[in-house]
Amino acid sequence: MPLVLLKLAKWILSKGIVLAVIAALAVAVLAFWIFVQKSRSSEGSRVSELADLQERATVVYAELETAHTRLIELGEEIEQTRKRIEAANQVIKYFDGILNRIERFITMSSEERAQSERRLQEAKAERASLAEARKALVNEQSDLRVKRISFSEEAKSLEGRIGELEGQASGFLEHMEEAWKRLKPYLLAALAIAILAPIAWKLFAFYVWAPMLSLSGPIRLVEEALPVSSLGEAGVSARVNLDEGDRLWVKESYLQASDESLKRKTRFVLDWSIPATCLAAGLIEMIELAAPKGGTGQVTVSPQRKAELEVAIVNVPAGGQLVARPSSIAGIVSRNGEPVQIQRRWRLFHPQAWLTFQFRYFVFQGECSLVVSGIRGVRLEVMDTDENKGRRSNQIATIGFTPDLGYGVVRAETFWGYFRGFNPLFDDVFRGKGVFLCQEISEEDATKASRFWSTVWSGMLKVLGV
């Protein structure tokens, strides 16, 4: 029960952290998007209003200029009309004077008097016409002065609003342009480094670093020769035969079928001496099956959730040992009632450990069988070579080996395969007499993806030998 609660708490915590991170990123992205949209919308409205006001200001100033010019013309016209009215008054005064009247009646002939009277009437008519024209010009002048005052006030208001809008400029685009100008050389340098640095590093690692580090000797966990392990039934499914005294611990996701006569119970942790390792490798909440007293039984194991996986049964004889990654184990069979011992071997100061980044090894010993899983199947390679010869294997595909083999690394076979990511920098190489296990296809090749966090987690598990 405590383990179940711990697992539930871990699940809730992990989901909560993921949801919190996603929510924070979503809020940040949405806030930035809203900021950009509002900045663009506000800037667009400001620029549009500013353009309209400037256009109106141009019209107002043109009207002011026209009114000013027209006022000057009206002043000149009014002055000319005034002078003409004065001239007409002089004519009227002359012809309409007392002396002129006496002279007209005494000395002028009838024709001269008629002509004088006609000129008097013409002067009076011209004066009246000029008076009307002057009145119209004065009225127009007054209207223009009122309009000029109105235009001046509107121009003043427009200038104030234009000044406000110019002062309210967000400068978003200007800031973006300035930021681009400042960061452009650094971004170009970062882009060049991002492109060239991995190439330079891979060239250095393949041609300089790897050959130097590959000169160190292999790791050998056991010096004496051990009984050879063998590969039993293998495939998409495999049958495990249980005799009296045998016990099988299998992951629930690998249990396909079993005899009803078998005894069952839950094994919360495979080995309480390594609970963290069991938790990381998924060796928790396993199903324990045992043959009844005086009877036998069969269990069919098969991956139920991943179609690309296959299983194989590796039989470890009495006195034998096998190094295996707990993450590749789907089940363990204890034979003849003897417990399966899981020993931990550390190699912190061996150069090969730093090359393979694996510092801990799990050794399964005792008469037992291991149910291991691998992508597209598991292959057992039998080794019988001297120390100068060996057999290499893709480092990602290695599942386990007998500890009496010399386990080391060598540089990948081709640079192009390493550069394109088809192979890691180092391949595993085994020397001596014994067997090693590998899956037919590496996980990275099968999934066609290597996510960052998955890679980090896999690297951490490899360091710990899981």
Side-chain angles (χ1 to χ4, degrees):
M1 183 60 68
L3 183 61
V4 174
L5 294 177
L6 179 62
K7 187 175 182 181
L8 179 61
K10 177 184 176 183
W11 181 83
I12 294 175
L13 181 61
S14 62
K15 294 296 182 182
I17 293 175
V18 171
L19 289 177
V21 171
I22 293 175
L25 289 176
V27 170
V29 171
L30 181 59
F32 180 74
W33 175 253
I34 292 174
F35 168 74
V36 173
Q37 289 295 101
K38 285 188 174 181
S39 297
R40 291 182 59 185
S41 177
S42 175
E43 185 68 12
S45 300
R46 187 191 68 84
V47 171
S48 177
E49 184 180 358
L50 184 62
D52 293 340
L53 291 176
Q54 288 176 342
E55 183 178 358
R56 178 57 185 169
T58 302
V59 173
V60 169
Y61 282 121
E63 292 289 343
L64 279 173
E65 182 68 21
T66 303
H68 180 72
T69 304
R70 181 58 181 161
L71 282 173
I72 294 175
E73 293 175 354
L74 287 173
E76 294 176 354
E77 290 179 5
I78 290 172
E79 181 64 21
Q80 291 177 0
T81 303
R82 185 186 64 79
K83 291 180 179 180
R84 291 175 64 186
I85 290 174
E86 289 179 355
N89 287 331
Q90 292 294 329
V91 172
I92 293 171
K93 183 179 179 182
Y94 172 77
F95 285 104
D96 201 26
I98 297 176
L99 295 177
N100 182 265
R101 288 180 181 178
I102 296 172
E103 185 180 358
R104 278 188 302 171
F105 287 104
I106 297 175
T107 62
M108 288 184 179
S109 63
S110 58
E111 293 180 359
E112 289 178 345
R113 285 198 301 269
Q115 185 178 4
S116 177
E117 187 68 25
R118 186 175 59 254
R119 289 186 63 185
L120 177 62
Q121 295 301 322
E122 288 177 355
K124 288 181 179 181
E126 183 181 4
R127 184 181 66 177
S129 175
L130 290 174
E132 290 294 330
R134 184 175 181 277
K135 182 178 179 181
L137 291 174
V138 170
N139 291 334
E140 183 181 357
Q141 186 184 48
S142 299
D143 292 339
L144 280 178
R145 285 175 177 173
V146 172
K147 288 183 179 180
R148 186 175 66 174
I149 294 173
S150 176
F151 284 140
S152 299
E153 292 177 352
E154 184 179 359
K156 184 178 179 181
S157 176
L158 289 173
E159 288 295 336
R161 182 57 182 163
I162 289 172
E164 290 179 3
L165 291 175
E166 289 178 347
Q168 292 175 359
S170 64
F172 178 75
L173 298 178
E174 290 78 3
H175 294 335
M176 292 291 290
E177 184 177 357
E178 182 180 358
W180 166 248
K181 289 181 179 179
R182 290 187 180 184
L183 292 177
K184 182 167 64 175
Y186 301 102
L187 292 176
L188 294 176
L191 179 62
I193 293 174
I195 295 174
L196 298 177
I199 299 175
W201 163 249
K202 289 196 172 184
L203 287 170
F204 171 79
F206 189 84
Y207 290 106
V208 179
W209 190 56
M212 292 175 59
L213 296 180
S214 299
L215 298 177
S216 60
I219 294 175
R220 190 181 299 274
L221 299 176
V222 176
E223 295 296 335
E224 67 275 7
L226 298 173
V228 178
S229 301
S230 61
L231 186 65
E233 190 172 349
V236 177
S237 63
R239 289 178 299 177
V240 179
N241 297 315
L242 297 177
D243 297 328
E244 183 179 358
D246 294 346
R247 292 182 183 275
L248 167 65
W249 297 279
V250 63
K251 294 180 179 179
E252 186 176 2
S253 59
Y254 281 81
L255 180 59
Q256 187 182 61
S258 61
D259 291 342
E260 180 64 24
S261 60
L262 296 175
K263 299 178 181 179
R264 295 169 175 81
K265 65 178 182 179
T266 301
R267 181 87 170 203
F268 288 103
V269 178
L270 177 64
D271 191 341
W272 282 101
S273 63
I274 48 174
T277 300
C278 292
L279 180 63
L283 300 177
I284 58 173
E285 297 181 356
M286 302 180 73
I287 299 176
E288 180 181 323
L289 299 103
K293 187 175 182 180
T296 61
Q298 284 188 346
V299 178
T300 303
V301 292
S302 176
Q304 302 295 298
R305 298 176 183 174
K306 294 185 178 181
E308 71 273 9
L309 290 179
E310 294 186 11
V311 294
I313 299 175
V314 182
N315 298 312
V316 181
Q321 299 181 16
L322 183 69
V323 177
R325 295 178 180 173
S327 58
S328 299
I329 294 177
I332 299 178
V333 182
S334 173
R335 300 294 184 184
N336 301 322
E338 295 185 2
V340 179
Q341 298 181 6
I342 304 176
Q343 294 185 352
R344 288 159 290 178
R345 305 285 179 84
W346 289 88
R347 291 296 183 270
L348 293 174
F349 304 104
H350 198 287
Q352 289 286 352
W354 290 95
L355 294 178
T356 59
F357 288 103
Q358 182 173 342
F359 303 97
R360 185 171 63 167
Y361 300 85
F362 290 91
V363 181
F364 297 82
Q365 59 184 10
E367 187 177 0
C368 63
S369 296
L370 302 180
V371 182
V372 296
S373 63
I375 298 177
R376 296 291 297 276
V378 177
R379 186 176 72 256
L380 184 141
E381 296 277 350
V382 179
M383 296 288 301
D384 189 6
T385 64
D386 55 29
E387 295 298 328
N388 296 324
K389 296 181 180 181
R391 188 173 181 84
R392 70 166 65 200
S393 173
N394 191 306
Q395 193 176 76
I396 303 173
T398 301
I399 294 177
F401 57 92
T402 52
D404 53 349
L405 282 177
Y407 170 57
V409 294
V410 292
R411 190 183 68 178
E413 294 176 344
T414 62
F415 173 75
W416 187 244
Y418 163 65
F419 180 76
R420 292 289 304 276
F422 297 148
N423 292 311
L425 179 59
F426 295 102
D427 287 334
D428 288 340
V429 61
F430 299 95
R431 295 182 175 88
K433 296 182 179 181
V435 299
F436 69 89
L437 300 168
C438 60
Q439 58 185 356
E440 295 291 352
I441 298 178
S442 63
E443 185 174 359
E444 285 75 4
D445 292 337
T447 60
K448 300 295 183 183
S450 55
R451 299 174 183 173
F452 175 75
W453 293 112
S454 177
T455 303
V456 172
W457 177 248
S458 300
M460 292 174 60
L461 295 181
K462 184 179 179 182
V463 168
L464 299 175
V466 179

